[in-house]
Amino acid sequence: KRSSSPRLRRENEKNMKPSSRSSNENKGQKGSKKSLRRSSFTPGNGSRRYHLLAKETLKRETSSSFVSTPGFFVREEMKNISLMRPLHEGIPVLKLSTSGKLQKRVVTLSSCQQTLFLTHSKVAPETKACMLKTPFYTPSKGFGKKEAGNYLRYIDVADLEAFCVGVISNKLLEGNIQTKNVPSLVTIFHQEYFGKKYTNLVIANPAHRMGLIAALQLMKRTYEESQQWVSRSVLLMRYIWYDVDRDISQLITKEQFTRICARINLNIKDAKEAFKDFRQRENITQSSLTYGECMRLMEHLQTKNDVTDSIWKRIFGKAKFLSAKSFLEFLHNVQGERDSDLSDAKDLIAVLNHIEMPPDHALVDVTSKLDKARFVEYLHGSLNDAFDPRHQELPTRKLTKPLSHYWINSSHNTYLTGDQLKSKSSVEAYLYALRRGCKCLELDCWDGPDTSRISDELRVDVYHGHTFTSKISFLSIVLLVNNYLISNPDSYPIILSLENHCSTPYQNQMAEILKKTLGNKLFIPTPASRKEEMPSPEKLKGLVLIKGKRPPEADDDEEVERENQDLPKYAKSLLDVTYFHGTKFKKFDDSCTMIASNMHSIGESKITKLAEKSANSPFLWRKYNVDHMTRTYPAGIRVDSSNYNPVLAWSMGCQMVALNFQTSDTNMVLNDGRFRQDGGCGYIPKPSSIMNGKKPEQMAIKIRVLCASCLPKPNGARKGEKIDPYVQVELHDVRVRKRKEEYHTISHSTNSVRDNGYSPVWKDEGHQFLVHHADVAMVVFKVIDQDVIGDDQVACAAIPVTSLRQGFRSIQLYHFDNHRIGPYKMATLLVQIQKLKKSDKN
């Protein structure tokens, strides 16, 4: 291997200097399997919030010695986990192709345990992802023996999102997989070349199947824990390094460097010329660059960041290092973290000094001071998240209030994957919603074909009635929900909202499926429980509740109803398992006297009408929602499955604000941001002002967009032109106008930066937003690629105003589908947030 070149050996030896700790202390700690298991970059409450994280630094080396390839901490942790040996040798599987055929393949785990290979035949244990070509497509007849050995598909650990076992979970499987194969089925959801994808495998051998499942779990968890200790630029380079360094030389040629610049959106006119100039300037005689030299060149080429320079100079002057005291003053006076103390500052510096940085910034000795490079890393990192990390933690308090006291993450027509008229219905949409944090799923149930002659069971279909949408079975959805609860036993309750169009025999079949499939996971109410105060999410953990309709009454704002349609009679067996019963709304004075389990469904058009009916209407609606439930849903005219803005409905105290999860528009991004609170558990306690308490005073916030780091291409694509990003900042709020409450939004956009997603800097003066109702208001950040043909969405984030932290803060960016896998893990914005006093608004 070319890695044995004298120049690379000399560079490694030059950096092989011991850290400040003794060799006895280092001995036995390096590569410890337990070194990251308890670590988290989410600060705790109160004083010493970073203490537990800082303790982890005592177990690890600094990155000063490791310069050959990026991502040492990830590599060491992944290498030291214990996984099933046959995976390294290759296990036989059947892969379901896009044509619905099962094809023989081999799954092999790389020796570094960071990559899964899916090949036609076994590969050598030392195979790397970059060694073999990836086919643009697979011929329908497959590859011949000679060709098969030259190609592979692979999944990097950074691209793993989720997996399912023993259940039909996506469109490709529906109708293409035999029932006998389902228990052996493993579906892996992951990022690929131009977006997200799933891979369906049938693994007959139980030991191999369980071994792969255990490997996926451990690989994903270990990577998520270890990547916290790696800087953004190094983590990004780790992600693409083996795609580029195809000869595994640990050296980068000028052609490979050109590919790196294109991949990471680095702004440079002629990468090859820059490569040549750098070699001459650095007196490098060989034609290739080491990892350290490559990072040095990239740092030289990226846009000079006057923003971070000016922050440092303005606050710290000409200092080269920060003491804990100086850093604490910054946390207090600029960041507004008044509950931090000197110990917190020391712990935070200790954490930052153990983050793996590019070789030129590696520390020879771990000190108690902070240098500029690590300060900049702090500014962009998750420890400095504008979305208060403490608000994103799973709640330490138990959710013991009645269900009506919570906002509940809810979906509309969950079965659809596209528009409301002719798109495909799929069980995949239910898994997608559940993984996105949804806790209220909708099913439109209809009589299926009469299968009584060939089976004792009737098939209940789920689809959008009187449209051209396809059909899926009620049973497949319930099986998926049961599978989800088996994998997530501590989930807060899942509510199945049934829009029932079935005749009595088919309703009896629905009740039988629910009882048989869910067993003790199905909440069966008693007549008394329907009249009592609602149970709490804590009491209902791991259970499924059924929402139906009794008595059946037509609603003039129903989503899709045939004129003069005869409403079905409701079977007692289904009513016995139904807790929530939908009733028609007339007026709130009557509604407030209903039993707790009776609730209303309100269409989008009525939300505004009810909120603006009179000055007292919002008060009455909130009063009703203290002890009862309201579900809202999009208007029937939204045939494109677009979404309405949820903020007004939330402000009225509505618990189930149902949205079209298949459409990742701004309104869905708002929902993602709201339910990112409390660890994404799907249940958020409504603030006191919504529970008919005192409304918060108006406030003003000023937001200035400064710069970004490591922005991906749209959908995380590996190929394509460099992006021209600009940022849009939006406030979504509720205000009182002419004594009536109404939804209100205002936005601000930056200029676009040409051909630079790696380190764009914006000349933004900022914008001041007046916040009328801070308890429901949210700020949305959207990064958009400007294009002549049409702008493309790149990344986004939504933050509740009550969770917004002031100061120079990082916006951790997400894909519009609400994930941070692959290249999105490194993407951040740096903004300045000022919370102004009432007297400063003007």
Side-chain angles (χ1 to χ4, degrees):
K1 297 182 180 180
R2 290 174 60 198
S3 59
S4 60
S5 67
R7 183 168 62 91
L8 185 58
R9 285 202 307 270
R10 284 196 301 272
E11 181 164 338
N12 286 334
E13 290 166 2
K14 178 181 69 176
N15 287 280
M16 289 289 286
K17 297 179 181 179
S19 69
S20 58
R21 286 168 292 150
S22 67
S23 57
N24 290 333
E25 184 182 30
N26 292 335
K27 186 177 181 181
Q29 295 292 345
K30 180 179 176 182
S32 171
K33 296 179 183 179
K34 299 181 180 179
S35 62
L36 292 168
R37 294 295 166 259
R38 295 182 301 279
S39 66
S40 171
F41 268 26
T42 304
N45 293 310
S47 183
R48 303 310 301 274
R49 63 174 63 177
Y50 304 105
H51 183 59
L52 291 178
L53 189 58
K55 286 176 66 176
E56 296 295 330
T57 64
L58 299 177
K59 302 177 181 179
R60 64 178 57 257
E61 299 278 0
T62 62
S63 60
S64 59
S65 309
F66 316 112
V67 296
S68 298
T69 55
F72 169 80
F73 287 154
V74 171
R75 187 165 62 252
E76 286 300 293
E77 290 297 324
M78 295 298 297
K79 185 175 66 176
N80 286 315
I81 58 178
S82 179
L83 298 176
M84 183 182 71
R85 181 181 293 276
L87 270 176
H88 291 283
E89 300 167 353
I91 60 172
V93 302
L94 295 175
K95 176 184 176 291
L96 186 67
S97 68
T98 53
S99 62
K101 296 179 180 179
L102 289 173
Q103 301 171 331
K104 291 183 179 180
R105 295 290 185 269
V106 177
V107 171
T108 309
L109 180 65
S110 65
S111 58
C112 64
Q113 305 194 137
Q114 298 181 56
T115 311
L116 284 172
F117 301 134
L118 184 62
T119 54
H120 292 72
S121 56
K122 289 191 175 184
V123 296
E126 295 301 321
T127 299
K128 305 286 186 184
C130 57
M131 291 175 68
L132 303 177
K133 297 178 182 179
T134 302
F136 182 74
Y137 75 101
T138 301
S140 58
K141 295 182 179 180
F143 292 109
K145 288 185 178 180
K146 293 183 179 179
E147 294 173 309
N150 295 326
Y151 293 103
L152 85 163
R153 298 185 188 276
Y154 66 92
I155 304 172
D156 184 84
V157 63
D159 289 327
L160 285 174
E161 183 179 17
F163 64 91
C164 266
V165 183
V167 67
I168 295 174
S169 60
N170 56 77
K171 290 181 287 187
L172 183 59
L173 291 170
E174 293 162 351
N176 286 327
I177 194 80
Q178 296 182 14
T179 306
K180 66 178 182 180
N181 288 324
V182 172
S184 306
L185 186 63
V186 177
T187 300
I188 305 172
F189 296 85
H190 57 94
Q191 177 87 14
E192 215 182 45
Y193 312 109
F194 295 101
K196 291 201 299 181
K197 184 186 173 176
Y198 42 76
T199 299
N200 297 301
L201 306 174
V202 174
I203 308 175
N205 186 315
H208 290 174
R209 184 167 64 250
M210 296 309 296
L212 178 60
I213 294 166
L216 290 170
Q217 289 175 325
L218 196 52
M219 287 170 66
K220 182 171 175 58
R221 184 172 72 242
T222 303
Y223 174 76
E224 288 177 347
E225 292 170 343
S226 60
Q227 56 87 24
Q228 299 177 114
W229 297 93
V230 183
S231 69
R232 292 162 294 107
S233 59
V234 174
L235 196 65
L236 179 61
M237 187 60 76
R238 187 219 75 86
Y239 182 63
I240 66 175
W241 182 265
Y242 293 115
D243 286 344
V244 175
D245 182 25
R246 288 193 172 274
D247 55 4
I248 322 180
S249 63
Q250 300 179 7
L251 296 170
I252 297 295
T253 65
K254 63 181 177 181
E255 290 78 14
Q256 292 168 340
F257 182 74
T258 301
R259 290 202 294 271
I260 289 176
C261 292
R263 179 84 174 268
I264 67 175
N265 298 300
L266 182 59
N267 182 21
I268 180 174
K269 291 182 179 179
D270 190 339
K272 292 182 179 179
E273 189 64 28
F275 187 94
K276 178 182 177 181
D277 292 343
F278 179 79
R279 285 180 52 238
Q280 292 176 349
R281 187 170 60 252
E282 297 284 325
N283 295 320
I284 298 172
T285 56
Q286 285 193 350
S287 60
S288 304
L289 300 182
T290 65
Y291 157 56
E293 291 165 346
C294 183
M295 293 298 288
R296 193 182 314 147
L297 173 56
M298 287 169 55
E299 189 171 328
H300 173 74
L301 291 174
Q302 72 183 60
T303 303
K304 182 172 174 57
N305 196 333
D306 297 328
V307 173
T308 51
D309 285 344
S310 65
I311 292 173
W312 179 275
K313 291 176 182 177
R314 190 175 72 188
I315 300 173
F316 310 117
K318 297 181 180 180
K320 292 185 177 180
F321 293 91
L322 297 183
S323 66
K325 183 179 178 181
S326 298
F327 194 37
L328 180 62
E329 290 174 355
F330 168 77
L331 295 176
H332 282 177
N333 301 330
V334 179
Q335 306 295 80
E337 296 183 28
R338 287 288 174 180
D339 58 344
S340 296
D341 60 21
L342 190 60
S343 296
D344 291 326
K346 290 179 179 179
D347 289 340
L348 187 49
I349 288 175
V351 171
L352 294 169
N353 280 340
H354 279 80
I355 288 178
E356 181 181 347
M357 299 288 287
D360 278 7
H361 298 291
L363 293 177
V364 175
D365 294 317
V366 179
T367 69
S368 59
K369 294 184 178 182
L370 191 67
D371 65 9
K372 182 182 173 183
R374 283 163 179 77
F375 175 75
V376 172
E377 191 63 35
Y378 159 77
L379 288 178
H380 281 279
S382 59
L383 289 169
N384 190 42
D385 197 344
F387 196 142
D388 194 329
R390 289 170 290 185
H391 293 188
Q392 298 181 64
E393 292 178 335
L394 279 168
T396 53
R397 64 189 184 287
K398 293 188 175 181
L399 306 186
T400 56
K401 299 289 180 66
L403 287 170
S404 57
H405 288 221
Y406 299 86
W407 286 320
I408 303 171
N409 200 352
S410 303
S411 169
H412 167 256
N413 285 0
T414 315
Y415 47 87
L416 291 178
T417 59
D419 65 56
Q420 302 287 312
L421 293 180
K422 59 184 186 310
S423 68
K424 190 174 180 64
S425 302
S426 175
V427 69
E428 179 182 340
Y430 287 89
L431 179 62
Y432 174 71
L434 287 168
R435 293 209 324 263
R436 204 163 179 168
C438 185
K439 297 301 179 186
C440 180
L441 309 170
E442 186 176 20
L443 299 80
D444 287 12
C445 306
W446 300 80
D447 290 0
D450 184 0
T451 57
S452 58
R453 295 179 182 178
I454 57 176
S455 172
D456 294 333
E457 298 181 353
L458 297 171
R459 174 183 162 115
V460 179
D461 282 334
V462 173
Y463 65 101
H464 203 193
H466 315 297
T467 68
F468 297 103
T469 58
S470 63
K471 303 174 182 179
I472 55 175
S473 73
F474 179 81
L475 174 60
S476 65
I477 298 167
V478 179
L479 284 169
L480 179 77
V481 172
N482 183 63
N483 183 279
Y484 177 84
L485 287 174
I486 291 172
S487 302
N488 301 273
D490 292 328
S491 168
Y492 283 110
I494 295 173
I495 301 168
L496 299 184
S497 179
L498 307 182
E499 188 174 310
N500 188 0
H501 304 273
C502 292
S503 60
T504 302
Y506 285 85
Q507 290 183 49
N508 287 325
Q509 183 65 39
M510 289 166 62
E512 180 65 21
I513 289 172
L514 289 168
K515 291 177 182 177
K516 185 177 179 180
T517 306
L518 297 173
N520 58 8
K521 300 184 195 72
L522 179 64
F523 176 76
I524 300 179
T526 62
S529 67
R530 292 193 182 98
K531 299 177 182 179
E532 299 169 349
E533 183 182 69
M534 287 184 209
S536 68
E538 201 68 39
K539 185 177 180 180
L540 298 170
K541 256 188 178 181
L543 298 181
V544 174
L545 277 73
I546 305 300
K547 171 190 170 295
K549 198 167 187 178
R550 185 180 68 178
E553 296 181 78
D555 189 336
D556 57 2
D557 195 26
E558 198 64 50
E559 297 164 45
V560 178
E561 289 285 356
R562 286 179 294 180
E563 291 185 6
N564 303 318
Q565 178 184 358
D566 293 328
L567 289 167
K569 294 181 180 179
Y570 279 61
K572 184 179 183 302
S573 61
L574 187 58
L575 292 177
D576 286 344
V577 299
T578 302
Y579 178 70
F580 289 116
H581 296 283
T583 60
K584 186 176 179 179
F585 170 76
K586 295 178 180 178
K587 58 181 181 179
F588 286 118
D589 288 340
D590 295 339
S591 299
C592 288
T593 62
M594 297 190 311
I595 61 175
S597 60
N598 282 6
M599 62 174 290
H600 295 316
S601 290
I602 305 293
E604 173 188 349
S605 59
K606 281 187 177 179
I607 299 172
T608 304
K609 290 177 182 177
L610 287 175
E612 298 180 354
K613 188 174 183 179
S614 69
N616 200 37
S617 292
F619 170 79
L620 293 174
W621 199 352
R622 291 186 188 108
K623 180 181 177 182
Y624 161 80
N625 281 327
V626 171
D627 299 311
H628 300 81
M629 303 282 276
T630 300
R631 178 181 179 270
T632 64
Y633 55 86
I637 61 172
R638 292 186 181 272
V639 294
D640 60 348
S641 294
S642 58
N643 284 304
Y644 62 105
N645 193 286
V647 172
L648 182 60
W650 285 331
S651 75
M652 296 297 110
C654 301
Q655 296 86 356
M656 304 178 189
V657 182
L659 300 180
N660 292 310
F661 270 54
Q662 71 270 36
T663 304
S664 295
D665 53 16
T666 299
N667 297 319
M668 191 64 216
V669 170
L670 285 167
N671 193 76
D672 292 332
R674 172 69 67 197
F675 289 99
R676 200 162 288 134
Q677 297 178 93
D678 288 355
C681 70
Y683 285 78
I684 306 296
K686 292 190 289 188
S688 60
S689 63
I690 305 300
M691 300 294 289
N692 280 320
K694 185 180 178 182
K695 187 177 177 180
E697 291 186 0
Q698 292 182 359
M699 62 179 294
I701 53 175
K702 183 175 181 181
I703 299 176
R704 186 162 68 101
V705 179
L706 304 176
C707 59
S709 176
C710 303
L711 298 179
K713 301 182 191 300
N715 288 318
R718 298 182 184 183
K719 295 181 179 180
E721 61 183 8
K722 296 169 186 174
I723 64 173
D724 305 329
Y726 68 93
V727 180
Q728 199 167 59
V729 184
E730 302 171 352
L731 174 70
H732 297 261
D733 196 5
V734 172
R735 68 181 179 184
V736 176
R737 190 178 185 186
K738 296 180 181 179
R739 301 183 64 193
K740 296 178 181 179
E741 294 191 27
E742 64 177 14
Y743 163 70
H744 170 66
T745 185
I746 188 169
S747 66
H748 165 69
S749 296
T750 69
N751 62 298
S752 64
V753 177
R754 185 170 176 77
D755 290 340
N756 190 355
Y758 186 65
S759 57
V761 176
W762 290 279
K763 297 177 181 179
D764 182 35
E765 297 298 323
H767 186 83
Q768 187 167 304
F769 299 90
L770 178 61
V771 180
H772 296 267
H773 197 327
D775 282 348
V776 296
M778 298 190 69
V779 179
V780 175
F781 299 87
K782 292 190 287 189
V783 179
I784 303 170
D785 177 22
Q786 189 176 60
D787 198 302
V788 175
I789 299 176
D791 294 355
D792 296 313
Q793 297 176 334
V794 176
C796 63
I799 306 176
V801 167
T802 51
S803 297
L804 201 62
R805 298 200 292 177
Q806 71 177 49
F808 295 101
R809 294 295 182 181
S810 168
I811 307 297
Q812 303 292 295
L813 294 171
Y814 289 75
H815 187 280
F816 275 77
D817 284 346
N818 196 35
H819 72 74
R820 293 200 81 213
I821 62 172
Y824 286 89
K825 193 66 180 178
M826 293 70 79
T828 65
L829 282 178
L830 183 62
V831 301
Q832 184 181 15
I833 301 170
Q834 294 174 281
K835 292 187 176 181
L836 306 176
K837 297 178 182 179
K838 195 170 183 180
S839 58
D840 296 334
K841 290 176 189 174
N842 297 325

